[in-house]
Amino acid sequence: MFATTSGAPSTTAVRNPRRRQRTGSDDSVAARQLPKRLKRSGLTSQTFKPIQNTSAHGDPYSRDVTPSINGYYQDLRKHSPEDRESVNLTIRNRGAKRPERDKRTPKGDGSVELTKNETYSVTRLATTPGQFQTHQSSLRWHGNLAPGMGYAVAITPTEALVWRYKHGKNPMDSSKPLVVRLLHAASNANQPLPLALLVPSSPEPGLLIVTPVCGKATYWETLSSAASVDLSRQKQQAIQGTITGLASGERVTKMIEAEPQGFLLTISSGKIVHLSIADAQGKASISTQILRNTNTQTGGIFGSLRNVFGGSGWPRDIAAVKAATSFQRGQRECIVGTTRGVLQAWELNWNGAHSLKYEVDARPKLLESIRDIGIVPPDSEDQLFGVLDFAFLSTTTTGRELASSRSKSETSLLVLTVASQGNNVRYNLHVVNIANGAVDVPVVHPISCYRTPAFPEAAFKPTLLVSEQGQTAYVVFEKSLVLVSLEEIPDSPDSQLQTETSKMPDPFQDVLDFRGDKGYLVVGCGMDTPDRGFDGSACTVMVQGYGVIRVSVAPLAEGLTLLDRATITAEAKLGQAVFYGSQQSLFDFSGRPEIQFATEEVEEAAIRISRSITSSSSKHLSTAGPSMEQHLQRRATALADLIKHLRKHYQPIHLKFRWELLWEAEKMAAARAIWRCYSNTFASKPKEEKVLLYELVECISEKDKTENQPDDHETDRVRHWLIHDVWRLEILLPWATKALTLLYNESVEDNAPMTPACRARLISEAHDIQLAALETAYSFRQDNASLYGLDENTMVNGVLSQGYEGMPEIWTSTGYICQAVQQLAEYFQEFATDLDSHNSSDEEGSSPPQQLLEKIAQSNSRLVDISCKTQIERCRLLQASDNPDIRNHGQDLERASKGSRRELLKGLVNIGLYLPAIKLGEKYNDMEALAEVLESEIQTSQDDLTNNVLAGEETDEIRAKIALCEGFADKYFDKYGASWANAFFARFVAQGRVSQLLMHGPKHRRHMTSFFRSHPECAAFSWIHEVAVEGDLATAADDLWRAQKQADTVWAKKIQLSMSKLATVAAVTSQQKDDNDASSMAHEIDSQLEVLDAQEQLYRYLKPTMRRALNDTPAKVDVVMEQYFKRFVKAKKALRSAMKINVKKMVEEAVLDAEDLVDTISLMDEDGLDPASEFAVRRFLIAIRLVRLCKFETGEVARKDLLEKSIWRRCIIQDNWPMINRTEMKDDAQVEVETGATALFKTLKEGFKSGFWDDHPPPEPSALLNTGTTVESLRTSSRYDVASNSALEIIARDLEIEDSVLETCIKEGRLEQWWNGIVDAARISARNEANQSGEAQSRRQEAEREFQHQMVRDDQAAWGVQHADGAASGVDDEGDVMMGM
């Protein structure tokens, strides 16, 4: 050791030649003073084994062995601290411990896992004293670690705290901290904190404390003596000294161990001081000396130290001083680095000598390396660059290889630098190789994840730690930890592909920030010795106000490559925040601006984490525990933390993913509710009966659940499902309904049918399961919509009112769930109804308890509510689809769901829950259901009063119920207005209770008037309300006009038309209707009456024929068809079918459409008619008049033309015109008779007689050809708009047959030549008949006048009298009596 004394000049120590050299730890003073019983301990297999070189920063079993770089033991894997005897701070070891068989780290050491991912983990050590964990903003700490010994020391201005932070192999080792009072405390609070180091010693370490300002150094050989309660004894056992050469204003800034009992102190002025705690004979003493270059060489590459460390040229920018291993026993090398990038290598000798080996300026190379990769612009002038720290890179593991490397003067360093330009700060790690005075920087690792400037006034400076294997670097800042992988990603097909696509990632980097609101600060750190069997690396960090934490970097998992974990993923960062953000208060997982992820990556990561929580597939979740409630609560909390973290620290994610995250959280909340129901059911059920949930899980298909493993002793189906399959909750819920049927059928097959009581209990459990899940889900959705970035105002009771576009299927309203919930509600309602009807026949004890039935009934009303929600939600989702087929299906489903809802509400009424049914009708604004429920309850109650003999109390109750329901009905007129009135009145209409409906007119006049006027289908009786209540005759006339259009029979239509005409006249009289409007309406009424008159004429003509079939409608149809529609439509399929339909309507006295009536009249067989009957003579004229009476819309000329031409064609072809044309051997009289007997002549004549042809001249035969004989010509008529082409083809063929007959009449019968003569003959015949009729009428009128005159003359003769006063009485010429003339 160094033999210099305090204050003496540095000289070479003289070694006692008679003293034997120290080997291993045998020369330790403490070792030579071990108790005799320890020396006489029994021999073991380890006694004669050679001592291993486990050199470190203070191994209590290694004094003169070669220390390693960066605080590591060379043989670390073989001898970890846990393998050695642990040192108890309060009780000394009494003897050698036998080797333990189990070398694993003790379990359950109380450490708390702060964060973990695939790359690293952070734990909080449980051994930290409470004093250090408690945060006090006014208290300052400085700390240091001795990883080789497993001790930590924290120091304040007045005392030091020492404790064992690593557990030994003996779990009974005490970790009680020792408090050491400082002999030289700081004189004021502004002075720097003292520096402390633990000194390797056996059986317990010593303690060295240096006061920075005054330079006082205090050393205790053992911690026990340092922590002595007796102050005088503490001083007596302390070795004290003073740092010589410390000028005014200088202070000690840092202290490191340079060899087992030597230390290097960095002075604020740039001096380096060597401090020794033992003299040449090994006796404890403190001596110091300043490192100076004793080499007399000047100039050269290194130059003289005079300008470096001599005189007034002390460098003031020391960045770090590090002690390295030595290639030769008794020597130690240290490196001094300045912030400017100058590196000096010093060699410290066993005898106290020291010398400067070399000095290099690495700044140019460092700058060039970062300029090459674009971190620093080549021509930047305002760039600030500096070295912050460095560490040795170990490339060898054995002492021989290390010695060989050192002999070649090769040194590899990892240098931490900072480059700043304005607000842009970049940290970098440089691999620096120094060989033969030359500097090379082959590799640069830019730190991209951390760019926060380091505060110059920070007590803790950025520190670089490197793992022994050189694979990982830990950069420790005062409030952050940065992890950087130093491994190069090897070439592989994947890496080459990413390189070609410019996607090759940098090696792994990540940063852990402390929470800024807690004041946590790093006060010390060091590389840690990994646990036995752990192939990774670790460092330990002392955090003021929190404790000691260990950061462990795990080795690559099997099957993974460096490329696989090259980049920190969004999933990893989210996982840290979710699983560890709420369990501790050290790290801030809010993220940094340097680490950004694409929104798509964040979304996918969030979904994976959410699914890992609901399926318990995350490594951060335990799948076993005594409390399932706590397990589910933790998972629910993790899901809540996930969305909170996303909303607070990331860009808004897409709506689809927010919904998916919400649905996962809903399922977890629902699972908790299901578990509580299961627990309650399990606690109250009879032991021999089944629990439904247990059976449900068993019923689920293996592909839809995670199978439990009985071989692994997983036997609880329910817990296993809740742990692994909550994310598939929508599969479980439908089984709550299906299982009821399955279990009942199984019991029947086993000849042991379930009793009603057992069925009721299972139904109750099914209700509980579905209600617990779905009610909780909808409630959770409503309460947490804003948390997930959804508009809660668009939700009603958890159901969206809008915004379904683009959404996937919602788990609460899948088709299976909608069906299952409805079926379960119906199942109980049917069960309750059947139970009530068969209650008298049940065996004693088999009926369900009344309390259970009442409980299920109340649950059933809630289940009906849930059924309504699921149906509404599904309908809205389907109707928002882009697929028209799906939209149509949604509309159909909506109509069906409204019907099913009414049935469910009626079911509630049937089981006595009319009030819940009314409330549900109000909740969903289902006025039709409300009207049906109220009407049904009122009607049933009235029937009970009428048909049953009831006691007085029962009668009063029923009447009270009726009054209550009627009160609801009256209240709804004001509450819901027209919607309720329409539903309420429509119920009366549907049941045909028109008289009762009209009785509400005076009471609800406004609503009833609005209802009638908005429902034209009620016109048949709404006119009564208009006349009786409103007094509106004009509206009544309009209602009657509308009513006649809906009339089914001729007589009803005729009456309504007549009444409409009467009301119109009355409205004009009362000035409620305009004369022009009334005149137009009267004309339309007259036209309709004429159409009805034509149908009545046809009916009267057919009635004698129909009588032959008695009252059999089909027989009457057959008789008429046989008599009148046999020949003409025989070969015409479409026309014959249409005639059969029309004849059936005629038989039933139903109203025929005017066009159908025209076809019926014109298609009758001429030879079947009575030629003398007026109808037979006038039928075609009647048909033509009907066409003229039809009110065709504008643009329907083709329709009218087709219909009229068809009548003329059928009129012509009724007769054999080719035969008529053959006039040979016929005189004129015979030809006139044959012509006058044709339907054409009769029709023309009747038209001339009435003057009809004056305005509507008949068309010539050739103009009738090709009318309606093609599909195209039929399409011109709006009558056939909806007909298919195939149907029109059949009609066209039928009409083509008519057309061919007409063409024959024209060609062979020369109808064109006959036409004018026939028309003239018909006109003359009509005129002659009119003249003859006029002469006869004149003779009748002349006879009537002569008779009247004779009667007058007779009266005058009989009544002529002369009065006394001369007045006369008599009869005048008109036959009137005259008095007193």
Side-chain angles (χ1 to χ4, degrees):
M1 296 299 290
F2 298 98
T4 56
T5 58
S6 178
S10 176
T11 58
T12 303
V14 178
R15 183 177 300 277
N16 184 355
R18 299 177 63 86
R19 182 179 180 274
R20 64 179 178 86
Q21 294 293 320
R22 290 172 294 171
T23 59
S25 60
D26 294 337
D27 61 340
S28 170
V29 175
R32 293 197 301 272
Q33 297 175 356
L34 290 176
K36 291 183 179 181
R37 54 180 172 273
L38 179 60
K39 293 183 179 181
R40 291 196 298 267
S41 61
L43 299 179
T44 68
S45 59
Q46 306 292 330
T47 304
F48 300 103
K49 284 189 176 182
I51 298 176
Q52 302 292 330
N53 289 332
T54 57
S55 59
H57 275 56
D59 185 347
Y61 293 88
S62 176
R63 281 295 181 93
D64 275 351
V65 295
T66 305
S68 68
I69 59 175
N70 297 331
Y72 282 104
Y73 297 94
Q74 292 182 9
D75 204 8
L76 181 64
R77 303 294 179 88
K78 298 180 181 179
H79 297 277
S80 63
E82 286 77 0
D83 295 332
R84 308 185 188 98
E85 290 187 48
S86 60
V87 179
N88 192 311
L89 296 183
T90 56
I91 302 176
R92 302 289 182 89
N93 286 319
R94 297 297 183 180
K97 300 286 288 185
R98 293 186 178 182
E100 295 285 343
R101 293 183 179 181
D102 188 0
K103 300 296 183 179
R104 294 178 299 176
T105 303
K107 300 293 184 181
D109 59 357
S111 299
V112 178
E113 192 173 69
L114 303 182
T115 185
K116 184 178 182 180
N117 55 34
E118 297 294 336
T119 304
Y120 64 86
S121 63
V122 182
T123 55
R124 175 183 179 177
L125 304 183
T127 54
T128 307
Q131 301 96 308
F132 186 71
Q133 294 181 19
T134 303
H135 174 70
Q136 298 180 13
S137 58
S138 60
L139 185 62
R140 296 183 298 145
W141 291 87
H142 174 73
N144 211 328
L145 295 165
M149 297 176 285
Y151 284 89
V153 56
I155 193 167
T156 70
T158 58
E159 63 183 16
L161 195 66
V162 183
W163 73 94
R164 185 179 181 88
Y165 73 88
K166 293 182 69 173
H167 284 290
K169 65 181 179 180
N170 185 359
M172 298 303 295
D173 286 344
S174 173
S175 58
K176 182 178 179 180
L178 297 179
V179 178
V180 179
R181 294 185 298 262
L182 301 185
L183 300 182
H184 305 286
S187 59
N188 60 71
N190 295 325
Q191 289 186 353
L193 290 173
L195 305 178
L197 278 179
L198 292 166
V199 181
S201 181
S202 181
E204 61 180 272
L207 178 63
L208 174 65
I209 297 177
V210 174
T211 305
V213 176
C214 63
K216 298 292 184 179
T218 306
Y219 169 63
W220 289 275
E221 291 187 281
T222 64
L223 292 175
S224 300
S225 58
S228 176
V229 178
D230 188 348
L231 183 59
S232 60
R233 183 178 178 184
Q234 181 193 28
K235 291 183 179 180
Q236 182 181 3
Q237 294 180 347
I239 294 91
Q240 301 186 54
T242 304
I243 301 173
T244 59
L246 198 65
S248 176
E250 292 183 330
R251 58 185 178 85
V252 181
T253 59
K254 196 170 184 179
M255 176 171 60
I256 67 167
E257 184 182 357
E259 59 174 299
Q261 291 193 340
F263 305 87
L264 290 178
L265 280 64
T266 302
I267 310 302
S268 59
S269 61
K271 299 176 183 177
I272 305 298
V273 176
H274 177 266
L275 182 148
S276 177
I277 57 173
D279 56 16
Q281 287 74 34
K283 183 178 179 181
S285 65
I286 294 178
S287 60
T288 63
Q289 69 178 52
I290 300 175
L291 297 186
R292 303 178 186 276
N293 185 12
T294 58
N295 192 344
T296 57
Q297 283 186 336
T298 59
I301 187 171
F302 301 111
S304 175
L305 288 181
R306 184 180 303 275
N307 294 328
V308 180
F309 290 110
S312 62
W314 296 107
R316 297 180 180 272
D317 58 349
I318 300 297
V321 177
K322 296 294 176 70
T325 56
S326 184
F327 61 87
Q328 185 175 347
R329 181 183 177 86
Q331 293 183 344
R332 191 76 180 269
E333 181 182 287
C334 70
I335 302 293
V336 178
T338 68
T339 58
R340 297 286 300 172
V342 176
L343 299 173
Q344 298 175 340
W346 288 82
E347 185 175 291
L348 307 179
N349 199 278
W350 178 269
N351 58 12
H354 53 267
S355 63
L356 178 66
K357 291 182 61 178
Y358 60 80
E359 174 184 301
V360 295
D361 187 0
R363 180 184 178 86
K365 289 289 186 180
L366 294 173
L367 279 172
E368 180 182 356
S369 64
I370 58 177
R371 286 192 177 115
D372 290 344
I373 59 177
I375 294 179
V376 178
D379 56 348
S380 62
E381 298 180 356
D382 57 343
Q383 181 72 43
L384 299 178
F385 178 81
V387 174
L388 299 178
D389 197 8
F390 65 88
F392 290 96
L393 283 178
S394 176
T395 57
T396 57
T397 57
T398 65
R400 182 176 299 176
E401 292 172 349
L402 185 63
S404 175
S405 173
R406 289 290 179 262
S407 64
K408 299 177 182 178
S409 300
E410 294 181 359
T411 303
S412 294
L413 303 176
L414 186 66
V415 180
L416 172 65
T417 67
V418 60
S420 60
Q421 187 175 15
N423 294 327
N424 185 18
V425 177
R426 296 295 298 272
Y427 297 96
N428 305 279
L429 295 175
H430 307 254
V431 176
V432 177
N433 294 329
I434 305 174
N436 300 322
V439 177
D440 181 33
V441 184
V443 180
V444 179
H445 297 278
I447 299 178
S448 59
C449 64
Y450 186 83
R451 297 182 183 180
T452 303
F455 296 100
E457 63 274 11
F460 183 84
K461 304 302 181 183
T463 302
L464 175 64
L465 305 174
V466 182
S467 63
E468 180 189 14
Q469 299 84 357
Q471 297 173 341
T472 306
Y474 304 83
V475 184
V476 185
F477 294 90
E478 189 175 40
K479 297 181 179 181
S480 302
L481 304 175
V482 178
L483 287 77
V484 180
S485 174
L486 303 179
E487 296 182 278
E488 181 180 358
I489 298 177
D491 290 337
S492 67
D494 291 340
S495 63
Q496 292 176 3
L497 180 62
Q498 293 194 20
T499 302
E500 293 173 359
T501 57
S502 302
K503 295 181 180 179
M504 187 66 177
D506 295 329
F508 177 86
Q509 294 185 13
D510 196 13
V511 59
L512 292 170
D513 293 313
F514 298 156
R515 292 183 57 175
D517 58 340
K518 295 294 185 179
Y520 298 134
L521 300 173
V522 174
V523 296
C525 63
M527 289 303 301
D528 203 353
T529 54
D531 297 332
R532 182 179 178 87
F534 181 70
D535 294 332
S537 61
C539 77
T540 305
V541 181
M542 301 176 67
V543 183
Q544 178 181 340
Y546 189 79
V548 178
I549 64 173
R550 176 182 291 123
V551 184
S552 303
V553 175
L556 275 176
E558 185 177 356
L560 296 180
T561 64
L562 291 174
L563 183 63
D564 295 329
R565 73 173 191 182
T567 305
I568 189 70
T569 63
E571 185 174 358
K573 300 303 289 184
L574 284 175
Q576 288 178 325
V578 170
F579 296 111
Y580 300 101
S582 61
Q583 297 180 6
Q584 49 81 42
S585 57
L586 175 61
F587 293 123
D588 178 9
F589 294 113
S590 60
R592 299 186 60 86
E594 299 90 340
I595 303 178
Q596 297 292 329
F597 304 102
T599 302
E600 293 78 9
E601 183 182 358
V602 174
E603 291 170 343
E604 294 174 359
I607 294 300
R608 286 195 295 269
I609 291 176
S610 179
R611 179 56 53 82
S612 71
I613 294 172
T614 53
S615 63
S616 296
S617 59
S618 173
K619 296 180 180 179
H620 305 293
L621 294 173
S622 172
T623 57
S627 174
M628 178 56 64
E629 175 65 27
Q630 292 180 3
H631 172 79
L632 295 173
Q633 173 62 47
R634 182 185 177 191
R635 291 159 66 189
T637 302
L639 290 173
D641 292 341
L642 173 61
I643 188 60
K644 291 177 183 177
H645 186 75
L646 286 172
R647 292 289 309 283
K648 184 176 181 180
H649 301 295
Y650 289 89
Q651 294 293 328
I653 61 177
H654 291 93
L655 181 63
K656 171 187 174 183
F657 294 96
R658 278 180 275 151
W659 272 112
E660 291 185 9
L661 293 175
L662 174 58
W663 292 336
E664 295 288 306
E666 290 172 5
K667 292 179 182 179
M668 187 56 60
R672 294 180 62 198
I674 290 175
W675 171 253
R676 287 192 287 268
C677 288
Y678 174 75
S679 300
N680 295 335
T681 301
F682 195 82
S684 60
K685 80 169 187 70
K687 294 183 179 180
E688 67 278 1
E689 293 188 359
K690 299 178 180 179
V691 178
L692 184 61
L693 182 60
Y694 192 84
E695 300 298 327
L696 298 188
V697 177
E698 180 65 19
C699 290
I700 298 176
S701 173
E702 293 182 0
K703 66 179 182 179
D704 293 328
K705 66 181 177 183
T706 304
E707 281 293 322
N708 58 340
Q709 304 297 327
D711 294 341
D712 296 336
H713 308 288
E714 294 179 351
T715 57
D716 192 333
R717 298 175 188 171
V718 175
R719 282 183 170 84
H720 188 271
W721 188 91
L722 289 170
I723 291 172
H724 298 287
D725 294 309
V726 169
W727 63 279
R728 293 189 276 205
L729 181 58
E730 65 273 14
I731 297 176
L732 174 76
L733 295 182
W735 278 105
T737 304
K738 297 178 184 178
L740 293 176
T741 304
L742 290 177
L743 293 174
Y744 181 73
N745 292 340
E746 287 179 0
S747 67
V748 172
E749 293 174 0
D750 296 339
N751 295 321
M754 286 185 185
T755 63
C758 181
R759 290 183 65 191
R761 189 182 59 78
L762 292 178
I763 292 173
S764 175
E765 292 182 31
H767 276 66
D768 292 343
I769 292 172
Q770 289 190 351
L771 287 173
L774 295 175
E775 282 185 340
T776 302
Y778 281 116
S779 176
F780 184 92
R781 186 181 302 168
Q782 183 71 47
D783 296 340
N784 294 274
S786 58
L787 175 62
Y788 285 81
L790 306 174
D791 186 2
E792 59 184 359
N793 296 324
T794 62
M795 285 188 186
V796 179
N797 300 319
V799 179
L800 270 181
S801 57
Q802 60 185 6
Y804 287 90
E805 293 77 9
M807 286 182 62
E809 187 176 41
I810 305 174
W811 78 272
T812 51
S813 57
T814 64
Y816 289 115
I817 286 183
C818 291
Q819 183 180 15
V821 174
Q822 178 182 337
Q823 289 178 349
L824 180 57
E826 295 171 344
Y827 189 90
F828 171 70
Q829 292 175 1
E830 294 173 1
F831 172 77
T833 303
D834 295 342
L835 188 66
D836 184 58
S837 60
H838 297 89
N839 192 33
S840 59
S841 62
D842 287 341
E843 296 180 3
E844 185 178 356
S846 63
S847 297
Q850 185 64 28
Q851 184 179 3
L852 177 60
L853 290 177
E854 292 176 357
K855 180 257 183 187
I856 304 175
Q858 297 300 324
S859 297
N860 191 258
S861 65
R862 293 161 53 200
L863 195 65
V864 172
D865 183 18
I866 292 296
S867 178
C868 296
K869 286 184 179 182
T870 58
Q871 296 280 3
I872 291 173
E873 188 174 72
R874 183 162 185 80
C875 292
R876 290 175 179 173
L877 177 66
L878 295 179
Q879 292 175 10
S881 172
D882 295 333
N883 190 323
D885 294 335
I886 296 178
R887 287 199 302 272
N888 294 335
H889 175 61
Q891 295 171 359
D892 296 339
L893 183 62
E894 183 178 17
R895 287 189 290 270
S897 64
K898 288 182 179 179
S900 63
R901 177 167 60 201
R902 297 189 192 108
E903 293 300 321
L904 289 174
L905 295 183
K906 285 173 60 178
L908 290 177
V909 174
N910 293 337
I911 61 176
L913 298 177
Y914 72 96
L915 287 178
I918 292 173
K919 290 182 180 179
L920 289 176
E922 293 177 353
K923 181 176 182 179
Y924 294 103
N925 289 320
D926 193 336
M927 299 298 105
E928 291 78 7
L930 269 178
E932 188 169 356
V933 168
L934 288 175
E935 187 276 333
S936 174
E937 191 64 21
I938 292 173
Q939 193 65 38
T940 302
S941 299
Q942 290 176 345
D943 293 342
D944 290 341
L945 288 177
T946 304
N947 302 327
N948 299 326
V949 178
L950 304 173
E953 294 181 357
E954 294 177 341
T955 302
D956 293 340
E957 289 179 0
I958 293 177
R959 288 176 178 171
K961 184 191 297 184
I962 294 174
L964 179 63
C965 292
E966 290 177 344
F968 277 123
D970 292 339
K971 180 183 68 175
Y972 292 158
F973 281 100
D974 296 330
K975 184 176 182 179
Y976 298 112
S979 60
W980 164 250
N982 293 342
F984 185 67
F985 296 145
R987 182 71 183 167
F988 285 90
V989 175
Q991 294 184 337
R993 296 187 293 145
V994 176
S995 60
Q996 297 181 30
L997 171 63
L998 294 174
M999 290 174 62
H1000 288 273
K1003 186 176 182 180
H1004 304 293
R1005 171 181 174 181
R1006 177 173 59 88
H1007 291 295
M1008 184 169 288
T1009 300
S1010 176
F1011 169 76
F1012 282 142
R1013 292 180 179 179
S1014 61
H1015 290 75
E1017 65 274 10
C1018 299
F1021 46 85
S1022 63
W1023 66 271
I1024 302 174
H1025 173 78
E1026 296 292 348
V1027 174
V1029 179
E1030 294 291 342
D1032 191 340
L1033 298 176
T1035 304
D1038 295 337
D1039 287 347
L1040 287 165
W1041 172 256
R1042 285 192 294 269
Q1044 61 86 20
K1045 296 180 181 180
Q1046 306 163 12
D1048 295 330
T1049 61
V1050 175
W1051 68 268
K1053 186 177 181 75
K1054 196 169 184 177
I1055 290 174
Q1056 288 166 344
L1057 282 169
S1058 301
M1059 294 182 68
S1060 177
K1061 187 174 182 178
L1062 180 62
T1064 301
V1065 175
V1068 172
T1069 303
S1070 61
Q1071 297 183 350
Q1072 295 182 8
K1073 201 173 188 68
D1074 184 76
D1075 290 343
N1076 295 331
D1077 294 340
S1079 177
S1080 176
M1081 186 171 183
H1083 177 72
E1084 290 186 15
I1085 292 174
D1086 290 340
S1087 297
Q1088 290 295 321
L1089 288 172
E1090 188 172 347
V1091 174
L1092 292 177
D1093 183 62
Q1095 184 172 342
E1096 286 182 330
Q1097 291 182 50
L1098 176 59
Y1099 180 79
R1100 286 194 299 269
Y1101 186 81
L1102 299 178
K1103 190 173 183 179
T1105 305
M1106 290 188 288
R1107 286 175 180 169
R1108 290 183 287 175
L1110 299 179
N1111 292 325
D1112 187 0
T1113 298
K1116 290 181 179 181
V1117 174
D1118 293 340
V1119 168
V1120 174
M1121 289 296 295
E1122 183 67 23
Q1123 178 74 24
Y1124 301 105
F1125 299 94
K1126 182 178 181 181
R1127 178 183 60 83
F1128 200 76
V1129 296
K1130 182 178 181 180
K1132 303 166 185 174
K1133 181 179 179 181
L1135 295 179
R1136 181 174 177 82
S1137 177
M1139 287 307 99
K1140 193 167 185 177
I1141 295 173
N1142 293 345
V1143 170
K1144 184 176 183 296
K1145 290 183 178 179
M1146 288 290 299
V1147 171
E1148 295 172 346
E1149 298 186 57
V1151 178
L1152 274 178
D1153 179 76
E1155 292 177 277
D1156 291 336
L1157 182 59
V1158 166
D1159 286 338
T1160 305
I1161 293 173
S1162 62
L1163 287 173
M1164 296 175 71
D1165 295 337
E1166 185 72 19
D1167 52 6
L1169 300 174
D1170 180 7
S1173 65
E1174 183 181 1
F1175 177 77
V1177 174
R1178 293 177 53 84
R1179 66 183 181 111
F1180 285 106
L1181 180 60
I1182 293 172
I1184 294 172
R1185 284 184 60 82
L1186 291 176
V1187 173
R1188 300 301 173 89
L1189 291 173
C1190 290
K1191 189 176 180 181
F1192 294 104
E1193 301 293 336
T1194 304
E1196 292 187 327
V1197 178
R1199 181 174 183 174
K1200 180 179 180 181
D1201 186 60
L1202 175 62
L1203 190 59
E1204 188 171 346
K1205 285 183 177 181
S1206 298
I1207 298 172
W1208 280 109
R1209 181 171 58 195
R1210 292 165 186 168
C1211 177
I1212 293 172
I1213 65 176
Q1214 288 289 329
D1215 300 290
N1216 190 348
W1217 285 99
M1219 183 63 70
I1220 296 173
N1221 181 59
R1222 299 184 65 176
T1223 59
E1224 64 272 15
M1225 304 302 293
K1226 296 179 183 177
D1227 55 12
D1228 288 345
Q1230 184 178 355
V1231 173
E1232 289 178 0
V1233 170
E1234 290 180 357
T1235 304
T1238 62
L1240 175 60
F1241 184 87
K1242 294 176 183 178
T1243 302
L1244 290 172
K1245 179 180 176 180
E1246 292 296 321
F1248 283 122
K1249 286 169 62 175
S1250 62
F1252 187 77
W1253 307 131
D1254 296 341
D1255 298 326
H1256 309 90
E1260 295 184 357
S1262 60
L1264 307 177
L1265 291 173
N1266 301 321
T1267 299
T1269 57
T1270 62
V1271 174
E1272 291 73 16
S1273 62
L1274 291 176
R1275 285 292 184 196
T1276 61
S1277 172
S1278 59
R1279 185 182 184 185
Y1280 303 108
D1281 284 344
V1282 297
S1284 63
N1285 285 338
S1286 59
L1288 291 182
E1289 288 175 357
I1290 298 174
I1291 297 174
R1293 284 197 297 268
D1294 291 350
L1295 297 180
E1296 189 175 3
I1297 295 174
E1298 295 181 358
D1299 200 66
S1300 63
V1301 176
L1302 176 61
E1303 188 175 4
T1304 301
C1305 293
I1306 294 174
K1307 290 182 180 180
E1308 298 181 10
R1310 297 193 306 144
L1311 191 57
E1312 284 290 326
Q1313 289 76 15
W1314 282 83
W1315 178 255
N1316 292 330
I1318 295 173
V1319 173
D1320 292 339
R1323 184 184 295 112
I1324 293 170
S1325 178
R1327 188 186 311 121
N1328 293 336
E1329 188 173 327
N1331 292 338
Q1332 294 175 2
S1333 175
E1335 292 176 357
Q1337 186 175 2
S1338 297
R1339 288 194 293 270
R1340 287 195 300 270
Q1341 292 175 353
E1342 182 63 27
E1344 289 176 357
R1345 285 194 297 270
E1346 181 60 28
F1347 176 75
Q1348 291 177 356
H1349 290 164
Q1350 184 61 41
M1351 291 294 293
V1352 170
R1353 287 194 293 270
D1354 292 343
D1355 290 339
Q1356 289 177 345
W1359 294 95
V1361 178
Q1362 184 69 34
H1363 294 280
D1365 59 358
S1369 299
V1371 178
D1372 63 9
D1373 294 339
E1374 300 297 328
D1376 295 329
V1377 177
M1378 298 178 295
M1379 301 299 295
M1381 294 180 62

